[in-house]
Amino acid sequence: MSKKDVAFIGSIDQGTTSTRFIIYDHNASSIGSHQVEFTQFYPQAGWVEHDAMEILESVRMCMAKAVDKATAGGHNVDGALKAIGLTNQRETAIIWSKSTGVPLYNAIVWMDARTSAICRKLEKELSGGRTHFVQTCGLPISTYFSALKILWLMENVDVVKQAIKKGDALFGTVDSWLIWNLTGGVKGGLHVTDVSNASRTMLMNIKTLDWDKPTLQTLGIPAEILPKIVSNSEIIGNVGKGWPVAGVPISGCLGDQHAAMLGQACRKGEAKSTYGTGAFILLNTGENVIHSKHGLLTTLAFKLGPKAPTNYALEGSIAIAGAAVQWLRDSLGIISSASEIEELAKQVDSTGGVYFVPAFNGLFAPWWRDDARGVCIGITRFTNKSHIARAVLESMCFQVKDVLDSMHKDAGEKGENRNAKGEFLLRVDGGATVNNLLMQLQADLLGSPVVRPADIETTALGAAYAAGLAVGIWKEEEIFASGEKAKTDTIFRPLIDEELRKKRADSWFKAVERTFSLADLSI
């Protein structure tokens, strides 16, 4: 597209605790954005829910405010907004009524652990145990994935049972819920999902990219409630009347971690880590499906068009990263804002032997222990809140190291890109990466460089790239060249020696082992 042409791309970034709408110009620079936080509910220990209607309203508000801000900045968005991309929290499950558009239960959030009994039951009943579906979908049986949440809703919520029986129920992850409403809702809304979100349900065959009939049959989930699967970059439909940007095509859709990978321009052999509520590390394995032997997930990276090749990834998902900082703030009152943790942790030069493992709802990759619970060990009379704060930051870095160690084993040297010095670079993004101490600790504990881009909000950018690609704003080679052109990246290099790094990793493993089999502690 000519630089003289005015073209803007909108990006809905729907995360675990907030929604944003960002408007980008053809240089992929933000010209207007707005963010709204929404409520997270904890009805019982281990349960996490959202109000799907509140999420919908947050999207409406963010769209309107971002357009207003861009217009106030002198940009004529009307008529020049060419497409919208969407990225969302994955695995969060919603079932709603096709006839009324009303959710039949709160959205059950990805980190919710209520399905652990269903998981144990399936593991005992199915011949392959926990890994029964791995060859088909790349995922172990875990509370994390949407299929288990569907089973819980079908077993425990009468209105869901009745709606399914009447043919009035629709299931979707948050992307499907938003697209259905954005394209008309009860008046002809489109019931779709994309390959990346579908790959996280446990129901999609990662090779055929379609719902797997034997899996649906085994679990007793009716195919009629599931959305149509599309690629990450294609025109899906237009925004309907009553929305702030009515008529604009929705042409990009990816789960948040896949969008961040695209936003970071990760080619085959390159990895990124996103630090948000949780932390998510993905290594692009190209067109190769690698089944992990070290506790990782096999998933889609992206498919940039209906006829484009499918890129796969190895993923390590960490349930609690930034959420541990929120816990320090909201539950313990040790800090009054998340940004304070860096200064507090810098008041000491080590944790004083304290190790904190935030297994609040169990541990995800590479451990997969839903019976784990949080521990803080090594506390002495010398320990103060700065040591605790530093241990919380280190817990994020140790968890990322555990995942990357598994990735190195699974992918091997041929599966990774290294620079001229033989270094494997970890690209990082997400809100927590503004914390320089966290990034330095990460480099120290990995023993390899950490690269932070100037724009750390790569999730929204990835969705914009996918949308712009589908309508001709960008070409694929331009998007992937952006990773090489970044001269404003900040690189953190390790400052501690290998011997100390190993000692600290050994102590971390001792702490992790202490978390196992604690879920049934008496209250």
Side-chain angles (χ1 to χ4, degrees):
M1 172 164 287
S2 162
K3 301 275 182 185
K4 293 175 186 173
D5 293 328
V6 178
F8 300 126
I9 300 288
S11 181
I12 301 167
D13 181 2
Q14 190 285 312
T16 307
T17 57
S18 65
T19 300
R20 291 181 306 160
F21 188 69
I22 301 179
I23 302 171
Y24 293 95
D25 64 16
H26 62 260
N27 295 315
S29 299
S30 169
I31 60 156
S33 69
H34 191 74
Q35 179 167 327
V36 172
E37 293 200 357
F38 49 81
T39 314
Q40 200 146 255
F41 302 100
Y42 305 96
Q44 295 183 30
W47 292 31
V48 191
E49 296 177 0
H50 291 150
D51 178 345
M53 296 303 286
E54 187 185 0
I55 289 175
L56 196 60
E57 197 47 45
S58 72
V59 171
R60 187 185 299 277
M61 189 185 302
C62 286
M63 279 181 161
K65 298 274 189 185
V67 169
D68 287 348
K69 288 178 183 177
T71 305
H75 301 282
N76 183 15
V77 176
D78 289 338
L81 191 62
K82 302 298 183 187
I84 287 174
L86 167 64
T87 180
N88 59 288
Q89 55 169 311
R90 305 171 302 169
E91 299 98 9
T92 296
I94 306 167
I95 293 182
W96 67 94
S97 163
K98 194 192 303 184
S99 59
T100 67
V102 175
L104 302 176
Y105 192 83
N106 272 350
I108 302 180
V109 178
W110 57 270
M111 68 179 85
D112 184 287
R114 76 185 67 188
T115 58
S116 55
I118 296 174
C119 293
R120 297 296 80 76
K121 181 169 172 280
L122 288 172
E123 284 170 19
K124 285 177 187 169
E125 288 175 357
L126 299 174
S127 58
R130 193 169 70 88
T131 59
H132 186 84
F133 301 109
V134 162
Q135 287 302 313
T136 307
C137 69
L139 311 173
I141 293 170
S142 165
T143 59
Y144 187 16
F145 306 114
S146 317
L148 288 308
K149 297 171 173 65
I150 297 173
L151 292 181
W152 188 91
L153 287 162
M154 286 168 60
E155 288 175 17
N156 294 279
V157 182
D158 285 338
V159 286
V160 168
K161 288 182 209 170
Q162 289 159 15
I164 289 174
K165 205 178 280 184
K166 289 178 192 168
D168 188 41
L170 296 176
F171 159 77
T173 39
V174 179
D175 57 310
S176 299
W177 166 245
L178 294 179
I179 290 170
W180 187 80
N181 280 284
L182 282 163
T183 57
V186 293
K187 295 176 180 173
L190 298 169
H191 189 212
V192 299
T193 189
D194 74 90
V195 286
S196 64
N197 275 296
S199 77
R200 312 298 295 189
T201 59
M202 227 174 75
L203 301 175
M204 188 188 85
N205 184 308
I206 55 170
K207 290 178 182 164
T208 65
L209 308 187
D210 211 343
W211 301 120
D212 190 67
K213 287 177 184 173
T215 302
L216 295 179
Q217 214 166 359
T218 300
L219 296 175
I221 293 173
E224 303 78 61
I225 70 171
L226 302 176
K228 176 189 172 188
I229 301 173
V230 299
S231 78
N232 299 118
S233 180
E234 62 181 270
I235 295 175
I236 297 166
N238 293 351
V239 176
K241 290 178 184 174
W243 286 91
V245 291
V248 176
I250 299 168
S251 59
C253 184
L254 308 95
D256 50 10
Q257 304 314 320
H258 314 264
M261 202 173 199
L262 184 58
Q264 288 270 30
C266 285
R267 291 188 170 104
K268 182 181 178 181
E270 296 176 340
K272 70 88 202 173
S273 179
T274 299
Y275 300 75
T277 302
F280 303 87
I281 306 93
L282 277 81
L283 172 72
N284 187 335
T285 62
E287 294 180 52
N288 301 327
V289 176
I290 297 178
H291 287 288
S292 175
K293 294 177 181 169
H294 301 93
L296 303 180
L297 308 175
T298 304
T299 194
L300 264 283
F302 39 71
K303 182 180 174 65
L304 299 177
K307 295 180 180 175
T310 304
N311 273 240
Y312 293 92
L314 280 170
E315 176 174 341
S317 309
I318 294 161
I320 303 295
V325 178
Q326 293 166 352
W327 175 73
L328 280 188
R329 179 193 68 195
D330 301 338
S331 299
L332 299 192
I334 286 177
I335 51 176
S336 55
S337 70
S339 58
E340 286 177 22
I341 192 169
E342 182 174 8
E343 282 308 309
L344 182 60
K346 277 165 72 175
Q347 289 173 20
V348 289
D349 57 10
S350 77
T351 65
V354 173
Y355 288 80
F356 172 72
V357 188
F360 296 159
N361 283 3
L363 289 170
F364 286 176
W367 311 101
W368 299 105
R369 296 287 297 247
D370 59 19
D371 63 341
R373 289 298 178 266
V375 301
C376 191
I377 65 168
I379 298 170
T380 65
R381 185 66 185 82
F382 171 70
T383 304
N384 64 36
K385 61 184 181 181
S386 292
H387 296 113
I388 302 286
R390 196 173 180 105
V392 166
L393 291 183
E394 286 195 353
S395 75
M396 296 188 217
C397 302
F398 276 120
Q399 290 181 96
V400 170
K401 175 179 165 52
D402 290 345
V403 166
L404 275 169
D405 286 348
S406 291
M407 277 181 181
H408 295 321
K409 290 172 190 168
D410 279 331
E413 287 185 16
K414 289 181 182 174
E416 297 177 340
N417 276 352
R418 293 178 179 264
N419 66 11
K421 296 180 182 175
E423 297 169 319
F424 180 78
L425 306 178
L426 178 66
R427 293 162 165 75
V428 298
D429 56 77
T433 60
V434 297
N435 186 322
N436 289 329
L437 176 60
L438 176 69
M439 295 295 95
Q440 186 57 54
L441 290 170
Q442 187 68 83
D444 288 344
L445 294 175
L446 286 178
S448 56
V450 167
V451 182
R452 181 179 66 195
D455 179 2
I456 60 170
E457 301 300 351
T458 58
T459 306
L461 180 59
Y465 277 155
L469 184 63
V471 297
I473 304 293
W474 295 297
K475 291 180 178 157
E476 198 171 320
E477 51 269 29
E478 290 177 308
I479 293 169
F480 285 97
S482 67
E484 295 168 1
K485 288 185 296 197
K487 303 292 183 198
T488 49
D489 293 348
T490 306
I491 300 179
F492 296 85
R493 295 190 176 276
L495 300 176
I496 66 172
D497 62 39
E498 189 57 39
E499 187 184 355
L500 177 57
R501 186 176 300 116
K502 187 176 184 312
K503 281 182 181 173
R504 305 207 49 221
D506 290 344
S507 297
W508 165 256
F509 287 135
K510 285 181 186 174
V512 170
E513 285 169 356
R514 302 293 195 280
T515 70
F516 299 162
S517 304
L518 296 182
D520 57 355
L521 288 177
S522 297
I523 293 173

